[in-house]
Amino acid sequence: MTEPLTEKLQHLRTEAKHALDKAADQDSLEPWRVKYLGRKGQLARLIKDISQLDAPARKSAGQLANTIKQELTQAFTARAAVFRDHHSAPATALSGASLPPASSVGHLHPITLSIRRIQHIFARMGFIVAEGPLVEDPAYNFDLLNIPLHHPARAETDTFHTASGSVLRTHTSPVQLRAVLAMNLTPPFSVISPGRVFRSESTDASHEHTFHQLEAFMVGERVTVADFKGVVKKYFSDFFEQNVTTRLRPSYFPFVEPGFEVDMSCIICQQAGCSVCGRTGWLEMMGAGMVHPNVLKNMNIDHTRWQGFAFGGGIDRLAMLRHHIDDVRLFMSGRLDFLNQFS
Ligand code: FA5
């Protein structure tokens, strides 16, 4: 009972926010309020069902419903303020009543929307954005990142090679070096790099050959794992518009030391256990660690003075969670029935 109800609440949250984003004018706000927040609205109906749950489930579902109510109320107030503050010219003044109606207008891809959202979050924390080439020199993709020749990531099965000896980058980590060496950055600095990456592997609902990662790295004299934890918590909490907790597990990546995997508390079930998190209450989100001294040396940075963290995580995975998408392959499918839901 808990799982369907918390999932229904999450769906309601996503749907209501989406509908509010699409509200074209002041007049469409009141019907939205009645539909979602009204006394007989959708949220009120779900809240009624909470009383039928057993005590522990009732508590977590109740907390979730309260959070959603607050979020939707705040979002509604903010949207109303936008319409109040920006009185746009009446559309008829510009449109010309005799013109035929516009057919369909294009819109941004859900991954582009997610990348913009991420860039805003990190810009507020003082990060700059760097870009790197998609067709990469193996030196940047592997060698300078301390990835030795025998590492599995260099195997033919994972990497697309070009006839001229380049590779399609398998991750966004090469931008760490590109940013420092090509942009002549000197520490302290904080950089993100969102972008497309490619892996020659078989695809399924959670694996694509072409997907998107976010790389972030911060170098300074006193940057520690505590800074990393703070940045990541802020990133996920802002992205999903709810408070999340994170945990680190030891892991190995040749370009960091120590390295870890980062898990986030499941935002679908609020850690009650559901199919998305495999009933563990946690979701695996990214690889991370403290930048390896060899990588700092390759950046011509004095590793005895400067240190920092780096992380790389899938953007598609984030967008899937935010929009309740169950197959990563939909993003690259070009299917309009899927894409038009984000217009
Ligand atoms: C890396 O790519 C490391 N460069 C991350 C890193 C950066 C570690 C900086 C330490 C410091 P990994 O191979 O685990 O790590 O991929 C990172 C994320 O990309 C995964 O957590 C997952 O979200 C996403 N991902 C990996 N493979 C795929 C795939 N085939 N399809 C969709 N997403 C994928």
Side-chain angles (χ1 to χ4, degrees), residues 9 12-13 16-17 20 32 36-37 43 47 61-79 241-243:
L9 282 163
L12 174 68
R13 162 153 59 189
K17 286 185 181 168
L20 191 61
W32 180 93
Y36 293 107
L37 289 174
L43 185 59
I47 288 175
Q63 280 168 350
L64 177 61
N66 270 338
T67 312
I68 292 176
K69 190 169 187 175
Q70 274 172 20
E71 281 176 19
L72 293 184
T73 308
Q74 276 170 12
F76 174 79
T77 315
R79 196 85 176 124
E241 295 175 280
Q242 56 183 289
N243 231 333

PDB file of all heavy atoms in Angstrom, residues 9 12-13 16-17 20 32 36-37 43 47 61-79 241-243:
ATOM      1  N   LEU A   9       2.037  10.030  -4.958  1.00  0.00           N
ATOM      2  CA  LEU A   9       2.353  11.398  -4.501  1.00  0.00           C
ATOM      3  C   LEU A   9       3.470  11.993  -5.357  1.00  0.00           C
ATOM      4  O   LEU A   9       3.414  13.148  -5.767  1.00  0.00           O
ATOM      5  CB  LEU A   9       2.781  11.375  -3.027  1.00  0.00           C
ATOM      6  CG  LEU A   9       1.640  11.250  -2.019  1.00  0.00           C
ATOM      7  CD1 LEU A   9       2.162  10.829  -0.641  1.00  0.00           C
ATOM      8  CD2 LEU A   9       0.875  12.562  -1.890  1.00  0.00           C
ATOM      9  N   LEU A  12       2.181  12.936  -8.679  1.00  0.00           N
ATOM     10  CA  LEU A  12       1.383  14.152  -8.575  1.00  0.00           C
ATOM     11  C   LEU A  12       2.298  15.374  -8.525  1.00  0.00           C
ATOM     12  O   LEU A  12       2.058  16.385  -9.192  1.00  0.00           O
ATOM     13  CB  LEU A  12       0.519  14.088  -7.311  1.00  0.00           C
ATOM     14  CG  LEU A  12      -0.267  15.353  -7.009  1.00  0.00           C
ATOM     15  CD1 LEU A  12      -1.350  15.571  -8.042  1.00  0.00           C
ATOM     16  CD2 LEU A  12      -0.883  15.307  -5.619  1.00  0.00           C
ATOM     17  N   ARG A  13       3.380  15.265  -7.744  1.00  0.00           N
ATOM     18  CA  ARG A  13       4.325  16.380  -7.631  1.00  0.00           C
ATOM     19  C   ARG A  13       4.873  16.755  -9.008  1.00  0.00           C
ATOM     20  O   ARG A  13       4.862  17.912  -9.407  1.00  0.00           O
ATOM     21  CB  ARG A  13       5.481  15.983  -6.696  1.00  0.00           C
ATOM     22  CG  ARG A  13       6.689  16.888  -6.859  1.00  0.00           C
ATOM     23  CD  ARG A  13       7.559  17.004  -5.637  1.00  0.00           C
ATOM     24  NE  ARG A  13       8.114  15.769  -5.153  1.00  0.00           N
ATOM     25  CZ  ARG A  13       8.763  15.652  -4.002  1.00  0.00           C
ATOM     26  NH1 ARG A  13       8.911  16.688  -3.214  1.00  0.00           N
ATOM     27  NH2 ARG A  13       9.249  14.513  -3.621  1.00  0.00           N
ATOM     28  N   ALA A  16       2.068  18.155 -11.341  1.00  0.00           N
ATOM     29  CA  ALA A  16       1.596  19.497 -10.957  1.00  0.00           C
ATOM     30  C   ALA A  16       2.645  20.545 -11.313  1.00  0.00           C
ATOM     31  O   ALA A  16       2.311  21.615 -11.833  1.00  0.00           O
ATOM     32  CB  ALA A  16       1.296  19.516  -9.462  1.00  0.00           C
ATOM     33  N   LYS A  17       3.927  20.238 -11.072  1.00  0.00           N
ATOM     34  CA  LYS A  17       4.975  21.225 -11.389  1.00  0.00           C
ATOM     35  C   LYS A  17       5.058  21.454 -12.889  1.00  0.00           C
ATOM     36  O   LYS A  17       5.235  22.574 -13.355  1.00  0.00           O
ATOM     37  CB  LYS A  17       6.333  20.761 -10.857  1.00  0.00           C
ATOM     38  CG  LYS A  17       6.410  20.919  -9.356  1.00  0.00           C
ATOM     39  CD  LYS A  17       7.782  20.586  -8.855  1.00  0.00           C
ATOM     40  CE  LYS A  17       7.825  20.739  -7.345  1.00  0.00           C
ATOM     41  NZ  LYS A  17       9.011  20.185  -6.747  1.00  0.00           N
ATOM     42  N   LEU A  20       2.239  23.568 -13.911  1.00  0.00           N
ATOM     43  CA  LEU A  20       2.420  24.961 -13.483  1.00  0.00           C
ATOM     44  C   LEU A  20       3.424  25.673 -14.392  1.00  0.00           C
ATOM     45  O   LEU A  20       3.237  26.831 -14.761  1.00  0.00           O
ATOM     46  CB  LEU A  20       2.908  24.987 -12.026  1.00  0.00           C
ATOM     47  CG  LEU A  20       2.901  26.348 -11.346  1.00  0.00           C
ATOM     48  CD1 LEU A  20       1.490  26.931 -11.286  1.00  0.00           C
ATOM     49  CD2 LEU A  20       3.466  26.244  -9.931  1.00  0.00           C
ATOM     50  N   TRP A  32      -5.533  25.580 -11.838  1.00  0.00           N
ATOM     51  CA  TRP A  32      -4.433  24.708 -11.392  1.00  0.00           C
ATOM     52  C   TRP A  32      -4.514  24.503  -9.884  1.00  0.00           C
ATOM     53  O   TRP A  32      -4.416  23.385  -9.386  1.00  0.00           O
ATOM     54  CB  TRP A  32      -3.092  25.352 -11.777  1.00  0.00           C
ATOM     55  CG  TRP A  32      -1.900  24.529 -11.368  1.00  0.00           C
ATOM     56  CD1 TRP A  32      -1.249  23.612 -12.123  1.00  0.00           C
ATOM     57  CD2 TRP A  32      -1.234  24.538 -10.098  1.00  0.00           C
ATOM     58  NE1 TRP A  32      -0.218  23.040 -11.405  1.00  0.00           N
ATOM     59  CE2 TRP A  32      -0.177  23.583 -10.156  1.00  0.00           C
ATOM     60  CE3 TRP A  32      -1.409  25.237  -8.901  1.00  0.00           C
ATOM     61  CZ2 TRP A  32       0.676  23.341  -9.090  1.00  0.00           C
ATOM     62  CZ3 TRP A  32      -0.555  24.977  -7.826  1.00  0.00           C
ATOM     63  CH2 TRP A  32       0.475  24.043  -7.932  1.00  0.00           C
ATOM     64  N   TYR A  36      -5.059  20.845  -8.036  1.00  0.00           N
ATOM     65  CA  TYR A  36      -4.019  20.146  -7.272  1.00  0.00           C
ATOM     66  C   TYR A  36      -4.054  20.428  -5.771  1.00  0.00           C
ATOM     67  O   TYR A  36      -3.821  19.549  -4.960  1.00  0.00           O
ATOM     68  CB  TYR A  36      -2.634  20.506  -7.830  1.00  0.00           C
ATOM     69  CG  TYR A  36      -2.429  19.975  -9.215  1.00  0.00           C
ATOM     70  CD1 TYR A  36      -2.436  20.840 -10.307  1.00  0.00           C
ATOM     71  CD2 TYR A  36      -2.271  18.614  -9.450  1.00  0.00           C
ATOM     72  CE1 TYR A  36      -2.272  20.353 -11.604  1.00  0.00           C
ATOM     73  CE2 TYR A  36      -2.103  18.123 -10.734  1.00  0.00           C
ATOM     74  CZ  TYR A  36      -2.107  18.990 -11.808  1.00  0.00           C
ATOM     75  OH  TYR A  36      -1.948  18.494 -13.069  1.00  0.00           O
ATOM     76  N   LEU A  37      -4.357  21.668  -5.400  1.00  0.00           N
ATOM     77  CA  LEU A  37      -4.255  22.027  -3.982  1.00  0.00           C
ATOM     78  C   LEU A  37      -5.608  22.304  -3.337  1.00  0.00           C
ATOM     79  O   LEU A  37      -5.677  22.572  -2.133  1.00  0.00           O
ATOM     80  CB  LEU A  37      -3.366  23.280  -3.832  1.00  0.00           C
ATOM     81  CG  LEU A  37      -1.873  23.075  -4.099  1.00  0.00           C
ATOM     82  CD1 LEU A  37      -1.135  24.410  -4.058  1.00  0.00           C
ATOM     83  CD2 LEU A  37      -1.253  22.140  -3.070  1.00  0.00           C
ATOM     84  N   LEU A  43      -4.277  16.375  -4.353  1.00  0.00           N
ATOM     85  CA  LEU A  43      -3.428  16.136  -3.183  1.00  0.00           C
ATOM     86  C   LEU A  43      -4.289  15.786  -1.972  1.00  0.00           C
ATOM     87  O   LEU A  43      -4.007  14.850  -1.222  1.00  0.00           O
ATOM     88  CB  LEU A  43      -2.562  17.371  -2.897  1.00  0.00           C
ATOM     89  CG  LEU A  43      -1.556  17.201  -1.770  1.00  0.00           C
ATOM     90  CD1 LEU A  43      -0.578  16.061  -2.061  1.00  0.00           C
ATOM     91  CD2 LEU A  43      -0.756  18.492  -1.537  1.00  0.00           C
ATOM     92  N   ILE A  47      -4.091  12.496   0.412  1.00  0.00           N
ATOM     93  CA  ILE A  47      -3.865  12.639   1.856  1.00  0.00           C
ATOM     94  C   ILE A  47      -4.913  11.830   2.631  1.00  0.00           C
ATOM     95  O   ILE A  47      -4.623  11.195   3.642  1.00  0.00           O
ATOM     96  CB  ILE A  47      -3.859  14.132   2.262  1.00  0.00           C
ATOM     97  CG1 ILE A  47      -2.577  14.795   1.743  1.00  0.00           C
ATOM     98  CG2 ILE A  47      -3.975  14.306   3.780  1.00  0.00           C
ATOM     99  CD1 ILE A  47      -2.479  16.288   1.948  1.00  0.00           C
ATOM    100  N   ALA A  61       4.583   8.647   4.546  1.00  0.00           N
ATOM    101  CA  ALA A  61       3.725   9.195   3.481  1.00  0.00           C
ATOM    102  C   ALA A  61       3.194  10.578   3.891  1.00  0.00           C
ATOM    103  O   ALA A  61       3.084  11.490   3.073  1.00  0.00           O
ATOM    104  CB  ALA A  61       2.567   8.245   3.204  1.00  0.00           C
ATOM    105  N   GLY A  62       2.893  10.713   5.192  1.00  0.00           N
ATOM    106  CA  GLY A  62       2.390  12.007   5.691  1.00  0.00           C
ATOM    107  C   GLY A  62       3.435  13.100   5.518  1.00  0.00           C
ATOM    108  O   GLY A  62       3.134  14.213   5.084  1.00  0.00           O
ATOM    109  N   GLN A  63       4.705  12.743   5.849  1.00  0.00           N
ATOM    110  CA  GLN A  63       5.785  13.737   5.707  1.00  0.00           C
ATOM    111  C   GLN A  63       5.951  14.138   4.248  1.00  0.00           C
ATOM    112  O   GLN A  63       6.089  15.318   3.917  1.00  0.00           O
ATOM    113  CB  GLN A  63       7.112  13.163   6.211  1.00  0.00           C
ATOM    114  CG  GLN A  63       7.221  13.221   7.722  1.00  0.00           C
ATOM    115  CD  GLN A  63       8.394  12.382   8.231  1.00  0.00           C
ATOM    116  OE1 GLN A  63       9.007  11.630   7.484  1.00  0.00           O
ATOM    117  NE2 GLN A  63       8.679  12.499   9.514  1.00  0.00           N
ATOM    118  N   LEU A  64       5.894  13.112   3.378  1.00  0.00           N
ATOM    119  CA  LEU A  64       6.060  13.403   1.950  1.00  0.00           C
ATOM    120  C   LEU A  64       4.934  14.321   1.453  1.00  0.00           C
ATOM    121  O   LEU A  64       5.170  15.302   0.752  1.00  0.00           O
ATOM    122  CB  LEU A  64       6.067  12.084   1.163  1.00  0.00           C
ATOM    123  CG  LEU A  64       6.150  12.207  -0.349  1.00  0.00           C
ATOM    124  CD1 LEU A  64       7.439  12.907  -0.778  1.00  0.00           C
ATOM    125  CD2 LEU A  64       6.092  10.824  -1.012  1.00  0.00           C
ATOM    126  N   ALA A  65       3.702  13.996   1.879  1.00  0.00           N
ATOM    127  CA  ALA A  65       2.559  14.815   1.430  1.00  0.00           C
ATOM    128  C   ALA A  65       2.710  16.258   1.901  1.00  0.00           C
ATOM    129  O   ALA A  65       2.442  17.207   1.158  1.00  0.00           O
ATOM    130  CB  ALA A  65       1.262  14.212   1.972  1.00  0.00           C
ATOM    131  N   ASN A  66       3.198  16.424   3.136  1.00  0.00           N
ATOM    132  CA  ASN A  66       3.393  17.788   3.649  1.00  0.00           C
ATOM    133  C   ASN A  66       4.425  18.546   2.845  1.00  0.00           C
ATOM    134  O   ASN A  66       4.236  19.713   2.504  1.00  0.00           O
ATOM    135  CB  ASN A  66       3.886  17.727   5.105  1.00  0.00           C
ATOM    136  CG  ASN A  66       2.697  17.724   6.035  1.00  0.00           C
ATOM    137  OD1 ASN A  66       1.630  18.164   5.651  1.00  0.00           O
ATOM    138  ND2 ASN A  66       2.895  17.194   7.230  1.00  0.00           N
ATOM    139  N   THR A  67       5.560  17.839   2.563  1.00  0.00           N
ATOM    140  CA  THR A  67       6.617  18.490   1.779  1.00  0.00           C
ATOM    141  C   THR A  67       6.074  18.913   0.423  1.00  0.00           C
ATOM    142  O   THR A  67       6.306  20.023  -0.053  1.00  0.00           O
ATOM    143  CB  THR A  67       7.780  17.502   1.546  1.00  0.00           C
ATOM    144  OG1 THR A  67       8.105  16.905   2.782  1.00  0.00           O
ATOM    145  CG2 THR A  67       8.986  18.174   0.967  1.00  0.00           C
ATOM    146  N   ILE A  68       5.311  18.001  -0.200  1.00  0.00           N
ATOM    147  CA  ILE A  68       4.786  18.310  -1.540  1.00  0.00           C
ATOM    148  C   ILE A  68       3.825  19.497  -1.472  1.00  0.00           C
ATOM    149  O   ILE A  68       3.855  20.393  -2.314  1.00  0.00           O
ATOM    150  CB  ILE A  68       4.104  17.069  -2.150  1.00  0.00           C
ATOM    151  CG1 ILE A  68       5.166  16.004  -2.436  1.00  0.00           C
ATOM    152  CG2 ILE A  68       3.354  17.418  -3.413  1.00  0.00           C
ATOM    153  CD1 ILE A  68       4.644  14.694  -2.947  1.00  0.00           C
ATOM    154  N   LYS A  69       3.022  19.502  -0.422  1.00  0.00           N
ATOM    155  CA  LYS A  69       2.061  20.611  -0.287  1.00  0.00           C
ATOM    156  C   LYS A  69       2.810  21.947  -0.189  1.00  0.00           C
ATOM    157  O   LYS A  69       2.475  22.925  -0.870  1.00  0.00           O
ATOM    158  CB  LYS A  69       1.208  20.394   0.958  1.00  0.00           C
ATOM    159  CG  LYS A  69       0.043  21.352   1.041  1.00  0.00           C
ATOM    160  CD  LYS A  69      -0.911  20.937   2.124  1.00  0.00           C
ATOM    161  CE  LYS A  69      -2.136  21.824   2.066  1.00  0.00           C
ATOM    162  NZ  LYS A  69      -3.148  21.424   2.999  1.00  0.00           N
ATOM    163  N   GLN A  70       3.868  21.949   0.643  1.00  0.00           N
ATOM    164  CA  GLN A  70       4.661  23.185   0.789  1.00  0.00           C
ATOM    165  C   GLN A  70       5.301  23.590  -0.529  1.00  0.00           C
ATOM    166  O   GLN A  70       5.248  24.745  -0.942  1.00  0.00           O
ATOM    167  CB  GLN A  70       5.791  22.964   1.790  1.00  0.00           C
ATOM    168  CG  GLN A  70       5.371  23.211   3.224  1.00  0.00           C
ATOM    169  CD  GLN A  70       6.494  22.777   4.173  1.00  0.00           C
ATOM    170  OE1 GLN A  70       7.637  22.650   3.777  1.00  0.00           O
ATOM    171  NE2 GLN A  70       6.141  22.539   5.415  1.00  0.00           N
ATOM    172  N   GLU A  71       5.908  22.593  -1.208  1.00  0.00           N
ATOM    173  CA  GLU A  71       6.586  22.900  -2.479  1.00  0.00           C
ATOM    174  C   GLU A  71       5.613  23.468  -3.501  1.00  0.00           C
ATOM    175  O   GLU A  71       5.907  24.461  -4.164  1.00  0.00           O
ATOM    176  CB  GLU A  71       7.191  21.616  -3.066  1.00  0.00           C
ATOM    177  CG  GLU A  71       8.483  21.197  -2.418  1.00  0.00           C
ATOM    178  CD  GLU A  71       8.966  19.862  -2.989  1.00  0.00           C
ATOM    179  OE1 GLU A  71       8.529  19.461  -4.089  1.00  0.00           O
ATOM    180  OE2 GLU A  71       9.760  19.220  -2.308  1.00  0.00           O
ATOM    181  N   LEU A  72       4.429  22.824  -3.599  1.00  0.00           N
ATOM    182  CA  LEU A  72       3.478  23.276  -4.622  1.00  0.00           C
ATOM    183  C   LEU A  72       2.932  24.655  -4.270  1.00  0.00           C
ATOM    184  O   LEU A  72       2.737  25.504  -5.146  1.00  0.00           O
ATOM    185  CB  LEU A  72       2.336  22.264  -4.772  1.00  0.00           C
ATOM    186  CG  LEU A  72       2.749  20.902  -5.356  1.00  0.00           C
ATOM    187  CD1 LEU A  72       1.531  20.010  -5.555  1.00  0.00           C
ATOM    188  CD2 LEU A  72       3.490  21.055  -6.676  1.00  0.00           C
ATOM    189  N   THR A  73       2.720  24.892  -2.969  1.00  0.00           N
ATOM    190  CA  THR A  73       2.212  26.207  -2.564  1.00  0.00           C
ATOM    191  C   THR A  73       3.241  27.282  -2.897  1.00  0.00           C
ATOM    192  O   THR A  73       2.910  28.338  -3.449  1.00  0.00           O
ATOM    193  CB  THR A  73       1.921  26.212  -1.039  1.00  0.00           C
ATOM    194  OG1 THR A  73       1.081  25.093  -0.759  1.00  0.00           O
ATOM    195  CG2 THR A  73       1.210  27.485  -0.609  1.00  0.00           C
ATOM    196  N   GLN A  74       4.528  26.973  -2.587  1.00  0.00           N
ATOM    197  CA  GLN A  74       5.592  27.952  -2.899  1.00  0.00           C
ATOM    198  C   GLN A  74       5.700  28.188  -4.397  1.00  0.00           C
ATOM    199  O   GLN A  74       5.824  29.316  -4.861  1.00  0.00           O
ATOM    200  CB  GLN A  74       6.949  27.440  -2.415  1.00  0.00           C
ATOM    201  CG  GLN A  74       7.189  27.739  -0.947  1.00  0.00           C
ATOM    202  CD  GLN A  74       8.432  26.990  -0.445  1.00  0.00           C
ATOM    203  OE1 GLN A  74       9.202  26.456  -1.215  1.00  0.00           O
ATOM    204  NE2 GLN A  74       8.588  26.950   0.872  1.00  0.00           N
ATOM    205  N   ALA A  75       5.634  27.087  -5.153  1.00  0.00           N
ATOM    206  CA  ALA A  75       5.759  27.213  -6.615  1.00  0.00           C
ATOM    207  C   ALA A  75       4.608  28.049  -7.170  1.00  0.00           C
ATOM    208  O   ALA A  75       4.789  28.882  -8.057  1.00  0.00           O
ATOM    209  CB  ALA A  75       5.777  25.832  -7.259  1.00  0.00           C
ATOM    210  N   PHE A  76       3.409  27.822  -6.608  1.00  0.00           N
ATOM    211  CA  PHE A  76       2.226  28.576  -7.057  1.00  0.00           C
ATOM    212  C   PHE A  76       2.413  30.072  -6.779  1.00  0.00           C
ATOM    213  O   PHE A  76       2.196  30.919  -7.646  1.00  0.00           O
ATOM    214  CB  PHE A  76       0.994  28.040  -6.314  1.00  0.00           C
ATOM    215  CG  PHE A  76      -0.259  28.823  -6.575  1.00  0.00           C
ATOM    216  CD1 PHE A  76      -0.980  28.634  -7.750  1.00  0.00           C
ATOM    217  CD2 PHE A  76      -0.718  29.753  -5.657  1.00  0.00           C
ATOM    218  CE1 PHE A  76      -2.131  29.364  -8.003  1.00  0.00           C
ATOM    219  CE2 PHE A  76      -1.870  30.486  -5.901  1.00  0.00           C
ATOM    220  CZ  PHE A  76      -2.583  30.287  -7.076  1.00  0.00           C
ATOM    221  N   THR A  77       2.888  30.389  -5.570  1.00  0.00           N
ATOM    222  CA  THR A  77       3.076  31.797  -5.197  1.00  0.00           C
ATOM    223  C   THR A  77       4.118  32.441  -6.107  1.00  0.00           C
ATOM    224  O   THR A  77       3.950  33.571  -6.566  1.00  0.00           O
ATOM    225  CB  THR A  77       3.582  31.885  -3.730  1.00  0.00           C
ATOM    226  OG1 THR A  77       2.793  31.003  -2.963  1.00  0.00           O
ATOM    227  CG2 THR A  77       3.447  33.283  -3.176  1.00  0.00           C
ATOM    228  N   ALA A  78       5.204  31.682  -6.379  1.00  0.00           N
ATOM    229  CA  ALA A  78       6.271  32.239  -7.220  1.00  0.00           C
ATOM    230  C   ALA A  78       5.753  32.495  -8.640  1.00  0.00           C
ATOM    231  O   ALA A  78       6.046  33.520  -9.244  1.00  0.00           O
ATOM    232  CB  ALA A  78       7.450  31.274  -7.264  1.00  0.00           C
ATOM    233  N   ARG A  79       4.949  31.550  -9.142  1.00  0.00           N
ATOM    234  CA  ARG A  79       4.429  31.710 -10.517  1.00  0.00           C
ATOM    235  C   ARG A  79       3.477  32.910 -10.577  1.00  0.00           C
ATOM    236  O   ARG A  79       3.516  33.704 -11.522  1.00  0.00           O
ATOM    237  CB  ARG A  79       3.683  30.426 -10.903  1.00  0.00           C
ATOM    238  CG  ARG A  79       3.432  30.287 -12.379  1.00  0.00           C
ATOM    239  CD  ARG A  79       4.630  29.679 -13.061  1.00  0.00           C
ATOM    240  NE  ARG A  79       4.348  29.447 -14.473  1.00  0.00           N
ATOM    241  CZ  ARG A  79       5.066  29.928 -15.462  1.00  0.00           C
ATOM    242  NH1 ARG A  79       6.117  30.655 -15.204  1.00  0.00           N
ATOM    243  NH2 ARG A  79       4.761  29.676 -16.705  1.00  0.00           N
ATOM    244  N   GLU A 241      14.510  19.324  -5.900  1.00  0.00           N
ATOM    245  CA  GLU A 241      13.644  20.205  -5.099  1.00  0.00           C
ATOM    246  C   GLU A 241      13.123  19.506  -3.847  1.00  0.00           C
ATOM    247  O   GLU A 241      11.947  19.598  -3.511  1.00  0.00           O
ATOM    248  CB  GLU A 241      12.479  20.711  -5.952  1.00  0.00           C
ATOM    249  CG  GLU A 241      12.946  21.596  -7.085  1.00  0.00           C
ATOM    250  CD  GLU A 241      11.814  22.001  -7.999  1.00  0.00           C
ATOM    251  OE1 GLU A 241      11.432  21.193  -8.850  1.00  0.00           O
ATOM    252  OE2 GLU A 241      11.310  23.107  -7.825  1.00  0.00           O
ATOM    253  N   GLN A 242      13.991  18.776  -3.192  1.00  0.00           N
ATOM    254  CA  GLN A 242      13.648  18.185  -1.903  1.00  0.00           C
ATOM    255  C   GLN A 242      14.945  17.856  -1.180  1.00  0.00           C
ATOM    256  O   GLN A 242      15.993  17.698  -1.809  1.00  0.00           O
ATOM    257  CB  GLN A 242      12.804  16.930  -2.066  1.00  0.00           C
ATOM    258  CG  GLN A 242      13.434  15.869  -2.934  1.00  0.00           C
ATOM    259  CD  GLN A 242      12.518  14.670  -3.108  1.00  0.00           C
ATOM    260  OE1 GLN A 242      12.312  13.907  -2.184  1.00  0.00           O
ATOM    261  NE2 GLN A 242      11.968  14.526  -4.294  1.00  0.00           N
ATOM    262  N   ASN A 243      14.834  17.740   0.133  1.00  0.00           N
ATOM    263  CA  ASN A 243      16.033  17.448   0.916  1.00  0.00           C
ATOM    264  C   ASN A 243      16.452  16.004   0.728  1.00  0.00           C
ATOM    265  O   ASN A 243      15.649  15.107   0.916  1.00  0.00           O
ATOM    266  CB  ASN A 243      15.699  17.676   2.390  1.00  0.00           C
ATOM    267  CG  ASN A 243      16.735  18.570   2.991  1.00  0.00           C
ATOM    268  OD1 ASN A 243      17.880  18.595   2.519  1.00  0.00           O
ATOM    269  ND2 ASN A 243      16.350  19.307   4.008  1.00  0.00           N
TER     270      ASN A 243
END
